[in-house]
Every structure is written in C-alpha cells, then in structure tokens.
Amino acid sequence: MWTFDNFPSARVQKSFGFSPDKAWLDHVRLSSVRLALGCSGSFVSPDGLVMTNHHCARRCIQDLSTKEQDLNLLGFQAKTQAEERTCPRMEINQFIGMEDVTARVQTATKGLSGQAFNRAQKAEFTRIEKACQTSDQLRCEVVTLYHGGQYQLYTYRRWKKDVRLVFAPEEAIAFFGGDPDNFNFPRYDLDVSFLRVYEDGKPLQTPEYFRWSEAGAKEGELTFVSGNPGHTSRLLTVAQLASLRDTLIPLKLERLAQERGWVDQFAQRGPEAARISRTALFGVENSYKGWVGRRDTLLDPTFFAAKVKEEQALRARVAKNPALQKEVGGAWDALAQAARTEEKLERETTWIRSENRYFSELFGIARNVVWGVAERQKPDIERFREFTDARLPATELVTFSKAPIYPELEVEMFTLGLTKMREELGADHPYVKQVLGKESPRELATRVVQGTKLYDVAQRRALWNGGAAAIAASDDSMIALVRRLDPEMRAARKRYEDEVESVVKKNSELIAKARFKLDGTSTYPDATFSPRVSFGSVRGWTREDGVQVKPFTDFAGAFARATGEHPFDLPQSWLKAKDRLTLTTPLNFVTTNDIIGGNSGSPVINRNAEIVGLVFDGNLPSLGGDFGFDIRNNRTVAVHSRGLTEALRVVYGADRLVQELQPPEPRTTGPR
C-alpha cells in the first residue's frame, strides 16, 4: 500500500522488469478516484464514467429504489444519457496534490503532551486545511502517516452535487453466493456498477482515464491496484493488539451478532421490510465476518509471537541509542496504559458519546444539526474536527441528504441501540435514566421517530440556518432528545480525547520517529483511507489442507454453482443468456496485491495502465490483513475485465456502455 510519492519502482523493476516512472504514476493517480463514503473507483472514459463495485453504490441504488421498483433486485441500466439518475448522497474525490507538512505539525506540538498536544495538533491541522481549501470544489485533509512519523496535506478535487447511476446488475449476481461465499474463493460475482460525474449539467470531461484491456489479466502477470485502503493496524504495539484481541473485538462482535439478528428478524416481516433493510443487513454481515477474521488472526499464537518478537527487536535497537531511548523509551508503557484506559471507557465511548448513533440515522442527523449550530459559533481551530470549515462540506453531505429514511426501520434500529445501551451500562446508570426516564427503549424510540420532522431536509436546513435560537426553541422530538443529552455526550467525547486519543497520538508519534531514524521509509505506512498503489501478480495459493487454489473462475462455474435458491440463485437475465455466453470466459480471479477494506472498487491495471480487473473482495486469509500481510495466502479477489464486457454485451445488451469502454484514438496524456 505504497504512497504515490514513495513508490518502490526499483523493486518492481527487479522483480518484474518494469519501472513505473513519474508520468505513469501521475496518470494512475489522476485516473483513480475515491468514493467518500468508504470505497474506491476509477475513471474509465473521457466523459466522467466511473467504475466501482455494486456494493459501493448500494446505498445509491437503495435510495433510488421504491416499493414498486427495487433496483437492487431488478438491476438498473440507463439506455440513454437522459436516463442516468442522480445519487442523493455520493461524493467522488480525485487526488490532485500533496505537500509534506511534517515540520509544521511537529513544531506546533513540540514539548507538549496530553491534552495540550492534542489540541495544538488539531488546531494546526485545521489551519493547514483551511488555508488549502479555497473552494467548495476542493477537499483538503492532513493525513497522518506512520502513526505520526509523517504528516501530508492531501488535496482532492471534489464532486458531490451531481453523480449519477449509469448501470448496476441485479444483486443476485453482484453478490452471488451471499454471506456464505463472502471473503472466499472461488467466487462468481459481477460486483460492478458504473456512475457518471456531471459538472454544470454535462458529463465531466476527464482526459485522464484508464483504457480497457480486452485480453484481461493472465496468470503470472504483473498487476497494480490503485485505491484507498481504509485502515490497518500493523504498526500498533503488542499492548494495543492484546487489548483488541481480549476486550475490544469481542465486544464489537457481540454487538454485531445482536444487530444482525435484529435486522434479520425485521426483514422477515415481508418483502418491503426486506427491501428497506437489505443494505443494513449486508453491512452488518460483512462487518461481522471481517471482525471474526481479525480476531482469529490475533488469536493465532504463531502470528502474535511474531508481533512480540518484532516489537522486542525494535525496542532493543532503540535501547542501544541512549538519546533515542531517553526520548521514546517510555512510549510503549504509555500506550499500554492508554489501552487499559480505553478498555475502561469503551462502553462510555460507545453509548454516552453516542459513537454509533444508537444505530439511528435520524439521531445522527439531529446530533449533527445541534452540534453543527453550536460548533460553527466557535473559532475554526476550537471546533470538533468534523465541523471545521474544511470538513464541513462532508458533514453537510450526510446531514442534508435527500435519501429516504424509513420510519419503521428507524424505530427498530433505535430500539436496538437504546436496549443495548441499557444492557451494557446498567439500568441504574445515571445516563440510562436520563435517556429513558420512565419509558422503555421501544416506547422512547417510537415516540421520537414518529414525532420528528427531520425526514424533511428543509426542516433540517431551517434549524441549521436558524442558529442557537432555533435549536433552543425547537419542539422537534429528536432535536429535543439530543439537546437534553448534549452536555453528557460532549463530556464523554472530551474524556476520551484527553485520556486516550491524546496519549496515543503523542506516543505513537514518538515510536514512529524511532522507526524513521532506524529504517526510514523502507516500508509503507498503515492504511488511512487515502490514495495508495500496490503491486503484485495473478497467482493462486495452496490452502492449509494442501489443496491448490487456481487463480481464475469462469462463467461455467457460476452456472454449475447455482442452485436456484438464495443466495445461489442466478438472475433470470443470466439464465436466459446462458446459451449465448462463452462459458469459458474468466469471471473472477485473484492476485497477490496487498489490499484492505476501502479498496473495494479499485481498478486492477497492467503495466500499460489498462483495466484488467475490478477489486471487490479478499479471501479468508486476507482478513488478518489489518495486522499483517502474508504473500503466501493473502489474496485480492477481482472481477475479470473480459468477464465484465462479456456480461455487459451478452447478458445486458449494454451496447452504449461497452462502446464507451472501448479504447478511443490515442490520447496525448498518460501512457498508452
């Protein structure tokens, strides 16, 4: 997961006989995009066409669906440009610049610790971002790399007003095999969607885009993945990893298991309940399986022993340098204490700080409105980070989305959140009593969800623009609840920031300084949902039972695996097209590229910067990728470019889309 300014071209040359130069890397960077809600994508035509995963556009597809027309089940294809439909909450970012601001940030925090360090760092981040963000069309973020060893200002071009859905297949083939096949291989999924960015009502002109490879990926071929890996924890200390293994992950899994059961039970009420809860169920099932994989990795004694040995070796090297030992030697103990404090505060952080919004979209909107009004009255450097001038557009995108909110689902999810709060904090906890009063979780959830007017975006805007007086005078049930809980939520947030976050940031930065002094940037930093590029090759692997897993699947395998029953039911469009398909066409494949969540939707490209595939998953061994990468069995799972065009042409008759993907005449920018 290399940053674009530190890509190891010499290493690629040595292994594969190809050395990406700056022009190649710049072209790849500008042809790649980030979907702000957690995915990656790429421009694949000069007219703003973006390719990503179906599951990355799932929220848009859900938002555009109705009771009469469920686009997740039916799929969607715009036969003409006029039929392309605007996504209510979609932001796409293109990475256009970077600047090293390490010296500036570290100067601002020099000699400080604890609360003072945290406040000074956040204030400097805010100043840097505000100076950069001279237009709403830009998004500027100070990115922490190597846990504080380096700070970079990343500048993105942003599009959030007009991103339209062009194509999405039926969910039955986009997520064929469902949860049983998720994070497995062989796979047989067409997990793709196409979006288009518009500017001033016209398709955006994108001179930098990826050409399409008709041949697609071949076994042993060099591959690159350009995307935005979300988060990894490979540089955490042993104490932090042990805290995750023994306390934090088990708690998370317990909550996810209950949430999954709750949502699944709601979905059983009928077709409409199933439709409106499908995205929520997909998300929780995906998260649960991912966290199980992370837990299992940390429970592996061999893996954990390797982490212990790695840390001991680093500490021994630091101890040999008296000056370095004096500066950073205490950092490991400080982080161990912070981990213990975080364990004690975990339930308070989750429930009183309302980190998870009690599973309620309306509660999150109300909190954003109440906090947004209060925070915008403060100087920029004193605000919560999500309400600073530079980050406010991203918060507003969520707060003022026109996407539908379903009252019956809201009641269920809010009831679950309030029930779990009472269960974990205890019925006699003062905060629980303050929240519930004499009401049960379901009574409170029903009353505030049915009584609020925040379904109406205009009502949210009126409160936001009306300022403190409007908030104080509001009799909206959800606003009133948030307003009542506001002091306790803020106090819990401050306690976490002062006692955990500040200690972690300061001491992680110290250890990062030691790593830099000893090793430089010879490895890549942990993932931060910022642009990275990895290299690898198309290669299968050998399972623990000795079975050799081949790197490709084909269309024939999909039909052979189909049973006609969910989740192994192919859509009718595929069954009707079977006789016209070339069944030996590759559908999915695996590579040795290092990816993690956030890379979904990333392009897989060859040395010519041509699309050979589309990342949509990893295999089971890759679930431990949060804590380390093992090239022996960690694999990226992708849709093959030949499989994509075969399905578009034969199954869907998407001639307009296929023609747009075909390589045009040679362009003057970027490599051929």
Side-chain angles (χ1 to χ4, degrees):
M1 304 179 188
W2 296 95
T3 55
F4 276 88
D5 61 333
N6 189 39
F7 187 77
S9 294
R11 192 179 303 183
V12 179
Q13 172 68 35
K14 184 177 180 180
S15 298
F16 297 98
F18 173 65
S19 179
D21 59 15
K22 185 178 185 300
W24 190 94
L25 290 166
D26 284 347
H27 168 63
V28 170
R29 172 174 56 82
L30 292 170
S31 300
S32 306
V33 299
R34 181 178 72 170
L35 278 63
L37 293 179
C39 281
S40 300
S42 59
F43 287 122
V44 288
S45 93
D47 294 312
L49 187 67
V50 171
M51 180 174 70
T52 188
N53 289 144
H54 181 281
H55 74 262
C56 292
R58 172 182 286 271
R59 188 174 290 275
C60 169
I61 298 166
Q62 172 86 23
D63 291 344
L64 295 176
S65 296
T66 63
K67 183 177 181 179
E68 295 73 28
Q69 190 179 44
D70 186 346
L71 301 183
N72 269 310
L73 290 181
L74 300 173
F76 175 80
Q77 180 182 171
K79 293 286 189 179
T80 65
Q81 196 177 100
E83 294 177 5
E84 297 175 1
R85 300 177 61 183
T86 303
C87 297
R89 42 183 164 183
M90 179 71 73
E91 178 180 321
I92 289 180
N93 304 147
Q94 179 191 47
F95 182 33
I96 59 173
M98 67 191 91
E99 178 187 351
D100 190 335
V101 293
T102 306
R104 183 171 170 180
V105 173
Q106 292 183 347
T107 297
T109 60
K110 188 175 181 179
L112 302 177
S113 61
Q115 180 186 109
F117 174 92
N118 207 21
R119 288 185 175 178
Q121 186 185 83
K122 288 182 177 180
E124 192 61 27
F125 282 3
T126 298
R127 281 188 282 265
I128 293 170
E129 290 172 350
K130 185 170 185 175
C132 164
Q133 190 155 323
T134 56
S135 163
D136 189 42
Q137 295 178 340
L138 297 178
R139 180 169 182 156
C140 301
E141 298 174 357
V142 176
V143 179
T144 301
L145 300 174
Y146 299 99
H147 292 263
Q150 190 178 90
Y151 299 94
Q152 290 275 351
L153 173 63
Y154 281 10
T155 305
Y156 302 88
R157 191 178 176 192
R158 148 195 276 152
W159 298 279
K160 61 186 179 70
K161 294 181 179 179
D162 196 355
V163 179
R164 304 184 193 182
L165 182 64
V166 178
F167 173 86
E170 307 91 333
E171 184 182 55
I173 188 60
F175 196 41
F176 180 75
D179 190 55
D181 272 6
N182 196 19
F183 296 114
N184 278 292
F185 195 83
R187 290 289 288 280
Y188 306 92
D189 288 14
L190 192 76
D191 193 350
V192 64
S193 65
F194 289 94
L195 309 167
R196 194 183 307 279
V197 179
Y198 279 73
E199 194 169 64
D200 299 326
K202 299 178 181 179
L204 177 71
Q205 296 304 292
T206 48
E208 299 287 352
Y209 65 94
F210 289 121
R211 298 290 188 92
W212 197 267
S213 168
E214 278 292 336
K218 300 175 182 177
E219 187 165 4
E221 183 178 9
L222 169 64
T223 53
F224 300 88
V225 170
S226 174
N228 300 271
H231 176 81
T232 54
S233 306
R234 299 175 186 179
L235 298 182
L236 293 187
T237 66
V238 169
Q240 290 172 306
L241 293 174
S243 178
L244 282 168
R245 178 194 64 195
D246 300 335
T247 303
L248 302 182
I249 292 180
L251 266 174
K252 186 176 286 289
L253 285 173
E254 179 186 328
R255 291 173 187 146
L256 284 169
Q258 189 165 350
E259 184 183 358
R260 179 175 61 178
W262 202 279
V263 177
D264 187 56
Q265 186 176 29
F266 175 83
Q268 302 305 316
R269 294 182 180 181
E272 179 62 3
R275 181 186 75 82
I276 66 176
S277 62
R278 188 176 291 114
T279 297
L281 185 58
F282 173 87
V284 70
E285 286 183 339
N286 195 60
S287 294
Y288 184 83
K289 203 164 189 176
W291 282 105
V292 167
R294 296 181 184 97
R295 178 204 62 190
D296 290 348
T297 298
L298 293 179
L299 287 173
D300 180 348
T302 302
F303 176 86
F304 207 84
K307 282 291 183 181
V308 172
K309 185 177 180 180
E310 178 185 299
E311 181 173 299
Q312 289 173 340
L314 176 61
R315 296 185 72 167
R317 293 170 69 197
V318 169
K320 291 179 181 179
N321 185 324
L324 195 59
Q325 173 66 21
K326 182 178 180 180
E327 182 181 10
V328 309
W332 283 273
D333 291 340
L335 288 171
Q337 179 58 50
R340 290 191 290 270
T341 302
E342 184 173 17
E343 291 173 8
K344 293 177 183 177
L345 295 180
E346 200 283 335
R347 288 180 173 84
E348 177 179 301
T349 297
T350 297
W351 301 115
I352 302 180
R353 179 180 163 186
S354 69
E355 186 180 55
N356 64 0
R357 302 174 289 112
Y358 302 104
F359 307 121
S360 166
E361 192 168 352
L362 286 168
F363 184 90
I365 289 171
R367 189 184 61 186
N368 278 356
V369 170
V370 172
W371 280 4
V373 167
E375 294 300 305
R376 286 182 299 135
Q377 295 178 338
K378 301 176 183 178
D380 204 31
I381 62 171
E382 296 179 11
R383 299 178 193 174
F384 290 158
R385 288 280 287 147
E386 65 268 32
F387 296 102
T388 61
D389 287 345
R391 302 206 170 197
L392 200 56
T395 301
E396 290 180 320
L397 178 68
V398 175
T399 306
F400 302 114
S401 165
K402 296 179 180 179
I405 299 174
Y406 305 101
E408 57 270 49
L409 181 59
E410 274 289 301
V411 168
E412 285 303 309
M413 298 310 296
F414 200 16
T415 298
L416 170 61
L418 296 171
T419 301
K420 287 295 293 180
M421 175 201 67
R422 184 176 65 181
E423 173 189 315
E424 292 192 18
L425 295 180
D428 293 328
H429 194 287
Y431 184 74
V432 175
K433 291 182 176 180
Q434 182 178 357
V435 174
L436 295 178
K438 298 294 184 179
E439 294 177 291
S440 70
R442 183 167 294 278
E443 287 171 340
L444 176 61
T446 301
R447 177 174 63 80
V448 297
V449 168
Q450 291 182 351
T452 186
K453 299 177 182 177
L454 295 182
Y455 299 97
D456 184 355
V457 176
Q459 292 285 336
R460 303 175 209 168
R461 282 284 183 193
L463 289 166
W464 182 271
N465 295 329
I471 296 295
S474 176
D475 61 356
D476 184 274
S477 56
M478 195 66 81
I479 292 291
L481 177 63
V482 170
R483 190 174 58 211
R484 178 157 54 89
L485 303 180
D486 185 36
E488 285 73 19
M489 290 192 293
R490 288 177 175 274
R493 176 167 175 159
K494 184 177 186 304
R495 186 178 178 189
Y496 176 82
E497 290 176 350
D498 291 349
E499 298 182 27
V500 178
E501 184 180 83
S502 63
V503 179
V504 170
K505 285 185 175 181
K506 171 68 176 181
N507 290 281
S508 295
E509 183 180 281
L510 290 174
I511 294 175
K513 285 182 179 179
R515 290 183 187 275
F516 264 40
K517 188 174 183 66
L518 297 170
D519 300 318
T521 56
S522 59
T523 187
Y524 41 83
D526 266 326
T528 53
F529 194 50
S530 55
R532 306 289 181 89
V533 60
S534 73
F535 66 93
S537 62
V538 180
R539 191 196 312 174
W541 79 98
T542 303
R543 295 190 331 208
E544 291 183 356
D545 59 7
V547 173
Q548 179 67 33
V549 181
K550 296 180 180 180
F552 295 100
T553 64
D554 58 22
F555 281 67
F559 285 98
R561 192 162 179 75
T563 66
E565 296 294 330
H566 179 76
F568 299 101
D569 52 333
L570 287 170
Q572 284 298 311
S573 60
W574 280 61
L575 297 177
K576 292 177 181 178
K578 181 179 179 180
D579 292 341
R580 293 181 284 113
L581 287 163
T582 302
L583 297 179
T584 55
T585 303
L587 183 53
N588 293 164
F589 68 105
V590 293
T591 76
T592 62
N593 293 81
D594 186 6
I595 65 161
I596 202 73
N599 272 118
S600 289
S602 295
V604 185
I605 58 175
N606 59 21
R607 66 183 65 201
N608 297 322
E610 296 170 331
I611 296 286
V612 297
L614 171 65
V615 173
F616 72 93
D617 207 354
N619 64 350
L620 277 174
S622 76
L623 289 175
D626 201 13
F627 309 113
F629 176 70
D630 188 343
I631 198 171
R632 294 173 301 175
N633 60 8
N634 286 194
R635 292 294 179 269
T636 291
V637 182
V639 189
H640 200 279
S641 62
R642 282 178 58 196
L644 284 165
T645 51
E646 178 77 1
L648 289 171
R649 286 192 185 106
V650 180
V651 178
Y652 299 103
D655 296 335
R656 182 177 79 99
L657 186 54
V658 172
Q659 289 171 10
E660 188 169 355
L661 294 172
Q662 297 306 306
E665 292 301 312
R667 62 178 181 275
T668 57
T669 57
R672 179 68 196 213

